[in-house]
Amino acid sequence: RIAWVDPARPECAPLLPSNNRLLQGLALPQACALISSDRLGGPAAVLQALPQAIADGLRLFLLKLDHHSVDQQVLWAQRIGALASHHGARLLLAGTALSARRAGLAGLHADAAELRRLTQRPGVALWSAECANAGDVERARTLAADLLIWTGTGEPPPSTLPLYRLGSQRRSAGAGERIAIVWPAGAATERARA
């Protein structure tokens, strides 16, 4: 018998561990938003903007809390993550794996510079990596990133979806300005939204 199941909550058991990344990839939402607390006016402004972004259908957020101590990052990430989780959304922290785990978040986001320093996959359930060139893409795939954020110039790799920046005006998808999410585990169709 064949039946459709929610990949986030499979009803069949036991599942082999090798299926975990595939199911996790299938459960990723269709779009993602980058939240920079500096651009929005601080973490309190993020807490105010998040409900509307969730109401607009976004369910995955990359949170950058620049200019805060590690302990402050964890405290704000806990508050923002709790709000996101309450509404069925997931939050990835741009920081350390330890900070993301301490905050109880879904995972971690690494920028391109951090990706180049890593020697192994961070110890988190969901990991996104920012890629500025083909070498970064290859490194992220070798380290088993769950999703890649293409910020390089030129055409992004295949299987891309849009990345939205909360708190900034939409930019045209001109050369060097296109930002795309690459889902290595999925076969999404390429789309661009201005």
Side-chain angles (χ1 to χ4, degrees), residues 41-179:
V46 172
L47 285 168
Q48 290 179 339
L50 192 63
Q52 183 59 50
I54 292 169
D56 289 343
L58 293 168
R59 293 291 180 267
L60 182 63
F61 298 91
L62 311 176
L63 177 63
K64 290 188 175 186
L65 291 167
D66 300 325
H67 307 101
H68 290 78
S69 71
V70 173
D71 288 337
Q72 288 175 324
Q73 281 184 358
V74 170
L75 290 174
W76 278 111
Q78 284 173 332
R79 290 184 64 191
I80 296 166
L83 179 61
S85 180
H86 177 73
H87 293 285
R90 291 183 280 177
L91 193 66
L92 306 181
L93 179 66
T96 66
L98 178 60
S99 294
R101 286 193 306 268
R102 283 179 55 203
L105 302 182
L108 180 69
H109 173 70
D111 64 19
E114 179 63 22
L115 171 65
R116 293 175 196 135
R117 286 190 293 269
L118 291 172
T119 58
Q120 62 185 16
R121 179 189 165 91
V124 293
L126 185 59
W127 175 47
S128 71
E130 207 167 288
C131 301
N133 56 49
D136 291 345
V137 170
E138 185 58 36
R139 180 155 188 76
R141 287 185 172 152
T142 299
L143 294 176
D146 297 303
L147 59 133
L148 314 181
I149 309 299
W150 175 259
T151 58
T153 57
E155 281 300 306
S159 301
T160 62
L161 292 170
L163 172 69
Y164 299 99
R165 291 183 184 269
L166 263 61
S168 65
Q169 295 193 341
R170 302 254 172 131
R171 301 184 333 189
S172 64
E177 295 182 322
R178 185 171 180 178
I179 298 172

Side-chain angles (χ1 to χ4, degrees), residues 3-75:
W4 290 104
V5 297
D6 181 354
R9 294 174 207 82
E11 298 171 0
C12 53
L15 285 174
L16 295 173
S18 59
N19 292 319
N20 290 345
R21 284 199 65 219
L22 177 62
L23 291 173
Q24 189 172 356
L26 291 171
L28 288 171
Q30 292 297 307
C32 179
L34 173 65
I35 302 174
S36 172
S37 68
D38 287 352
R39 277 202 172 141
L40 282 175
V46 172
L47 285 168
Q48 290 179 339
L50 192 63
Q52 183 59 50
I54 292 169
D56 289 343
L58 293 168
R59 293 291 180 267
L60 182 63
F61 298 91
L62 311 176
L63 177 63
K64 290 188 175 186
L65 291 167
D66 300 325
H67 307 101
H68 290 78
S69 71
V70 173
D71 288 337
Q72 288 175 324
Q73 281 184 358
V74 170
L75 290 174

